[in-house]
Amino acid sequence: MFEPDSHEYNLLTKVSVDQCLKCTICETQCPVMAVTELFPGPKFVGPQAERFRDGQSVDRSLDYCSSCGTCTLVCPQQVKVAEINSVARAAMKRHHMPLRDRLISRTTAMGALMRPVAPLANAALAWRPLRVLVEQIIGLHRQAAVPRSAGRPFRSWWSHHTPSGAQDKGSVIFFHGCAGNWFEVQTAIEAVQILEHIGFRVIVPKQGCCGMACQSNGLFDDARRQVRRLAADLGQAPADLPIVSIAGSCQGMLKHEAAAILGLSDDPALQDVGQRTHDICQFLLDLAQEGKLPLDWRPNPATVVYHAPCQLKAQAMGQPAVALLRLVPDLQVVESNVTCCGIAGTYGLKKEKYDIAAAVGRPLFDLVEQVSPALVACDTETCRWQLRHHTGARVEHPIHLIHQAYGLG
Amino acid sequence: MTDSVVVGAGLAGLVAATRLAHAGQSVVLLAQGLGGLPLSTGTVDILGYAGAPVDHPLRAVAELVRGAPDHPYAVIGPAAVTSGLDWLQALLPELLQGDLKTNVTLPTALGALRPTCLHPPSMAAGAVATGSAAESAIAIVGPHQLKDFGPELCAANLARLLAAAGRETSVTAYRIDLPARPGETDSSPLTYARRLDQADYRQRFAQLVAERLGGETVVGLPAVLGLADPAAWEDLGQLIGRPVFEIGLAPPSVPGLRLHNALTAAARQAGVRIVLGAQATGFRTRGDRLVSLRSHQAGAGRDWPGDHFVYAGGGWESGAFRLDSHGHMVETVFGLPLRGGDVADANIDLLGPDYWQDQELFKVGLEVDRTMRPLGPSKQPVFSNLHAVGSLLAGAVRWSELSGEGIAVGSAQAAAAAILGLEPEKGK
């Protein structure tokens, strides 16, 4: 068990467990419980099991929680179900952390290692015999959607980039996340081009991983180190500037998960950065509502399914991308209203969870096939990879459509 | 700019938001959790008991308010209740049938008889006076693996009550052996409902039920007959070869969830922007007007400016009121005055020892005018553009008189009409 009075100890034993009325609303919305009997549900493994845990888990079914956070979001009594479960799982895995979970949470290292040999690495990861071997040795599912290295990282583009635009709206700090640098480079470039086009001077401080992958795999000490470092990096740039993020989930780590799950609520640097961090769609939508966003947008007579990532919904801002995309003339935006795509960061990559993740996302994949097999928008990288893998659709960050609307493409 | 900001995603909040959006307003709905409908029966109570069971709810409401001017229905008025519920029924015809003037009496999972008004078509055959169950031999059937439903308990109590009413109806319990998923010994009602959306599982379920039956002419089943497929229950009836009816269970309530899903989809369809996790934490005013509401949002929180505000935060059970250890109750978002809340000096037991006595705790709430605006001590609206609806309103013990949905929808209707500048509905 954790030290008395540690963050973990308090979260598990004191804070919100007693607020649970066992009302079952979390069970009605849990996407994992709906598709597998291996997971008895957030109420069972969370507030209910917590009373019996006393240092040990009741059983290991908790490991099948995907940490999507839906239970906390829908709870009417403010029970921190997902947070309780994240901490309990970290405790459960403490002394037998699988090598695989240590490896797949190193997102920056993965991007950096793949980059110099990008075509080779991409080909190797698509080569089935190797993937079967990897699955057998470390438990990464042979079909799991692993990211493709983009080759030239965003930061290399940035270092050769000459800013354009009037730069008369002030400055913003840009948070691209690991994926924006190594894998989803085009999204990061388009974000910078939009921000410059509408008049901002963009500052891109050096930045590393937010620690979310480590956190969701129970590697709390590593996660704390990473998120603190990121906060320091982003906070270095001139204070008080807004930080604009294209990493829909990672921004949640800065804004609340580091405090709620890792217990870093007293860290002033993190607090400061968290308060200044804005999802890029929310940032643009706010400008639009203040009449400060140029809306000379080209019509786009397309239909797009928009899927909101769980970690984005957990930030309690609704789905700003929907309101923003609805400003694009002629664009038909269909909200997925599906709880989760299944991937939940690294969950769906794991051998024993790949099929569960695919079943969780099935209603979403079916909707995409029905409504707009050509185009899907989603704010988080790992969800986009899962969607591309299972639907074959073109899946973009919502701002790609804004980039098009400005004719910047 | 947002025309209306609604707080709360239960029945009252969703109805108010959707009505306003249908009228062309831009509406944001902020909710701390998912909303309470998944915990509800899936039926619409107007008034179930007024001393005795009520047969004609609208008439009973009119009588009630003559003798009880402090009851929420006295300010809402029967006309708003009627027009709100007419609208709701027209919006969700697949989920709500019945006649506002007449209650039906439906069996519960314990075999008790519960009066209600609008109800899912899947429950209609169970109405003991008007459904197939009225003149039939009834079978009550459930799976062994569904621990929330005991057919023997339900059947025995139902038989006893029907006999006491002078009815010669036989009620027989049967069990089938079919887990919702292979290997499960304690399946959730929700898992059954999702499985029964699938035609092949429905067939197996129906076959097992049909094999158990004797000469019964109507079959009561736990309310798990499909979640997404509104015709699943009818198909089951055809497969079983007899009319079937659903019997509500403890939460998670599948009929309540169907209502939640349908109403949420209607709200979204109407353009309501729903923001979950957004607990209301503060507000700003200018003069006697609310200017904006502040909500929790990861990072820095958020202000939601608007012209009108509808507060549908639920009552004490939902955390909109807080009771301290001195017996003093407060409203948690705006600090609005509560009628009946300051009981420390009055020596009133908010919660009495007898479950069936009039529990004062549940009568505590907001006093409002006919446009549903909360009133201050001088009986003036606290804010000129804040309306409160649903379980926030003082004066009713909803769970014992069975009036929750009627109050929720009627008050939401009255508030929406007032915001839209329509004439407040006059009582008839």
Side-chain angles (χ1 to χ4, degrees):
Chain A
M1 196 54 182
F2 294 99
E3 292 296 308
D5 288 333
S6 67
H7 158 71
E8 290 90 340
Y9 181 87
N10 286 334
L11 185 66
L12 289 183
T13 57
K14 292 179 182 165
V15 181
S16 63
V17 173
D18 280 347
Q19 282 165 241
C20 176
L21 306 176
K22 313 287 182 283
C23 80
T24 72
I25 280 182
C26 58
E27 294 190 345
T28 69
Q29 305 301 310
C30 173
V32 176
M33 188 188 180
V35 300
T36 178
E37 68 280 10
L38 293 173
F39 184 55
K43 172 173 78 83
F44 181 91
V45 302
Q48 207 152 297
E50 206 47 65
R51 297 168 195 281
F52 302 100
R53 211 162 255 147
D54 193 27
Q56 296 177 44
S57 285
V58 178
D59 60 37
R60 296 187 61 81
S61 62
L62 170 59
D63 192 44
Y64 280 93
C65 164
S66 76
S67 298
C68 71
T70 303
C71 42
T72 296
L73 184 64
V74 300
C75 176
Q77 304 292 343
Q78 296 183 285
V79 181
K80 302 295 174 203
V81 191
E83 289 81 353
I84 289 170
N85 290 344
S86 291
V87 170
R89 185 177 36 225
M92 185 176 79
K93 290 171 70 178
R94 232 175 173 195
H95 301 299
H96 37 82
M97 181 66 65
L99 172 66
R100 177 210 41 208
D101 296 5
R102 288 187 190 283
L103 287 176
I104 58 176
S105 42
R106 307 298 145 164
T107 49
T108 313
M110 199 157 39
L113 281 172
M114 283 169 73
R115 186 244 153 173
V117 289
L120 196 65
N122 289 338
L125 284 172
W127 190 45
R128 193 172 163 86
L130 178 70
R131 291 295 301 272
V132 172
L133 201 66
V134 168
E135 176 183 289
Q136 279 163 359
I137 297 172
I138 67 164
L140 181 74
H141 193 278
R142 63 185 72 176
Q143 288 171 352
V146 289
R148 292 177 60 80
S149 173
R152 189 186 186 190
F154 166 75
R155 301 201 65 87
S156 164
W157 174 87
W158 172 253
S159 61
H160 297 93
H161 165 70
T162 312
S164 60
Q167 305 207 348
D168 57 354
K169 289 239 178 80
S171 302
V172 293
I173 297 165
F174 180 51
F175 173 47
H176 51 67
C178 312
N181 190 44
W182 301 108
F183 303 113
E184 300 280 302
V185 175
Q186 195 54 33
T187 302
I189 293 173
E190 289 176 359
V192 169
Q193 288 172 338
I194 292 171
L195 290 168
E196 287 184 347
H197 176 76
I198 60 177
F200 286 100
R201 189 171 80 90
V202 179
I203 300 167
V204 189
K206 176 178 84 68
Q207 50 193 271
C209 178
C210 69
M212 183 173 279
C214 279
Q215 180 256 96
S216 72
N217 279 289
L219 297 154
F220 279 16
D221 288 340
D222 295 320
R224 286 190 185 107
R225 252 194 313 276
Q226 288 173 334
V227 73
R228 277 203 164 112
R229 178 172 211 149
L230 176 62
D233 287 343
L234 293 173
Q236 250 177 19
D240 303 333
L241 291 181
I243 300 166
V244 179
S245 160
I246 55 164
S249 293
C250 309
Q251 71 204 23
M253 190 71 180
L254 291 167
K255 286 163 77 171
H256 68 141
E257 290 196 10
I261 298 176
L262 301 175
L264 300 177
S265 44
D266 295 334
D267 189 306
L270 199 58
Q271 255 175 17
D272 168 51
V273 165
Q275 287 181 7
R276 286 193 281 136
T277 300
H278 303 266
D279 173 77
I280 189 164
C281 291
Q282 181 72 68
F283 184 74
L284 296 178
L285 184 64
D286 285 347
L287 287 175
Q289 283 171 347
E290 290 162 25
K292 293 178 184 164
L293 186 72
L295 289 172
D296 50 340
W297 290 357
R298 299 177 179 185
N300 184 353
T303 298
V304 60
V305 168
Y306 169 76
H307 176 69
C310 303
Q311 311 291 344
L312 186 103
K313 285 183 272 199
Q315 292 160 42
M317 58 183 173
Q319 309 187 8
V322 172
L324 184 69
L325 290 177
R326 291 212 164 121
L327 298 176
V328 177
D330 297 345
L331 184 66
Q332 291 299 312
V333 184
V334 179
E335 289 180 70
S336 79
N337 293 330
V338 173
T339 309
C340 179
C341 73
I343 195 74
T346 57
Y347 181 87
L349 301 177
K350 297 172 182 176
K351 182 174 74 174
E352 71 280 12
K353 289 158 188 145
Y354 175 85
D355 290 334
I356 296 173
V360 165
R362 181 47 54 196
L364 176 60
F365 311 148
D366 289 345
L367 178 81
V368 167
E369 268 158 42
Q370 248 174 45
V371 176
S372 76
L375 187 61
V376 181
C378 178
D379 321 68
T380 289
E381 307 84 8
T382 52
C383 311
R384 293 202 289 272
W385 300 336
Q386 169 88 340
L387 273 157
R388 283 176 201 154
H389 175 59
H390 285 281
T391 65
R394 175 164 192 181
V395 190
E396 298 284 355
H397 191 290
I399 55 135
H400 174 67
L401 291 159
I402 306 304
H403 191 261
Q404 278 186 336
Y406 277 122
L408 297 169
Chain B
M1 182 63 186
T2 305
D3 295 319
S4 288
V5 179
V6 179
V7 177
L11 184 60
L14 285 170
V15 166
T18 309
R19 295 230 69 176
L20 293 168
H22 277 177
Q25 285 209 339
S26 79
V27 181
V28 169
L29 188 152
L30 307 175
Q32 174 179 293
L34 192 71
L37 276 173
L39 307 178
S40 77
T41 55
T43 62
V44 171
D45 298 337
I46 299 173
L47 192 62
Y49 291 100
V54 166
D55 293 326
H56 305 292
L58 288 178
R59 201 189 300 164
V61 165
E63 279 164 27
L64 173 82
V65 301
R66 277 198 289 276
D70 284 346
H71 194 280
Y73 277 139
V75 276
I76 296 168
V81 175
T82 307
S83 61
L85 290 173
D86 279 343
W87 173 85
L88 185 68
Q89 199 177 8
L91 185 74
L92 307 171
E94 278 180 335
L95 294 180
L96 294 176
Q97 75 169 49
D99 169 8
L100 293 182
K101 295 194 178 74
T102 317
N103 273 344
V104 292
T105 305
L106 300 174
T108 71
L110 297 179
L113 292 171
R114 183 183 193 283
T116 188
C117 186
L118 304 182
H119 51 280
S122 58
M123 292 184 183
V128 291
T130 54
S132 304
E135 297 171 30
S136 305
I138 303 172
I140 306 288
V141 191
H144 281 293
Q145 291 83 357
L146 181 59
K147 307 294 187 203
D148 285 349
F149 186 64
E152 300 81 6
L153 177 67
C154 177
N157 277 335
L158 188 57
R160 197 166 53 81
L161 287 175
L162 291 177
R167 293 263 301 274
E168 289 177 21
T169 309
S170 73
V171 188
T172 316
Y174 299 104
R175 296 250 185 185
I176 61 169
D177 188 9
L178 183 65
R181 291 187 286 214
E184 281 186 343
T185 51
D186 182 4
S187 297
S188 154
L190 204 56
T191 313
Y192 273 108
R194 288 181 176 127
R195 292 288 275 146
L196 284 165
D197 278 337
Q198 300 163 354
D200 53 340
Y201 187 83
R202 230 163 27 224
Q203 209 134 31
R204 279 165 56 206
F205 191 100
Q207 192 185 343
L208 289 174
V209 172
E211 280 169 9
R212 305 292 295 151
L213 297 179
E216 294 86 5
T217 49
V218 59
V219 183
L221 295 164
V224 299
L225 308 187
L227 178 61
D229 181 355
W233 70 273
E234 261 181 310
D235 186 43
L236 263 167
Q238 267 156 26
L239 291 167
I240 293 170
R242 295 165 177 80
V244 298
F245 62 91
E246 288 195 302
I247 300 167
L249 305 178
S253 161
V254 173
L257 196 56
R258 289 182 202 132
L259 209 50
H260 169 86
N261 290 347
L263 209 45
T264 306
R268 285 209 169 97
Q269 182 73 30
V272 176
R273 186 174 167 201
I274 298 176
V275 184
L276 290 190
Q279 184 201 5
T281 56
F283 58 93
R284 284 216 304 258
T285 59
R286 191 179 302 128
D288 70 344
R289 292 180 67 80
L290 273 181
V291 177
S292 67
L293 200 66
R294 189 159 184 79
S295 79
H296 163 78
Q297 184 175 104
R302 187 166 191 88
D303 291 314
W304 300 90
D307 290 338
H308 308 277
F309 295 83
V310 180
Y311 184 25
W316 179 72
E317 312 90 293
S318 304
F321 306 148
R322 195 172 52 229
L323 178 65
D324 70 17
S325 55
H326 302 284
H328 184 75
M329 258 170 106
V330 290
E331 185 281 309
T332 55
V333 178
F334 301 98
L336 296 167
L338 291 178
R339 189 173 73 205
D342 198 6
V343 293
D345 306 325
N347 205 20
I348 296 171
D349 270 343
L350 274 178
L351 270 177
D354 176 5
Y355 183 83
W356 298 111
Q357 82 187 62
D358 232 8
Q359 301 286 3
E360 294 299 321
L361 174 70
F362 296 95
K363 288 189 186 170
V364 178
L366 305 176
E367 203 169 338
V368 292
D369 67 11
R370 290 184 67 79
T371 64
M372 302 297 119
R373 291 179 300 178
L375 299 174
S378 57
K379 306 295 175 199
Q380 289 300 308
V382 181
F383 301 107
S384 61
N385 58 343
L386 174 68
H387 306 258
V389 296
S391 298
L392 290 165
L393 306 187
V397 185
R398 292 151 177 84
W399 54 268
S400 64
E401 66 182 32
L402 302 182
S403 59
E405 288 84 15
I407 293 172
V409 176
S411 56
Q413 162 69 21
I419 289 170
L420 296 169
L422 306 175
E423 188 76 352
E425 313 255 358
K426 301 230 160 52
K428 280 176 192 161

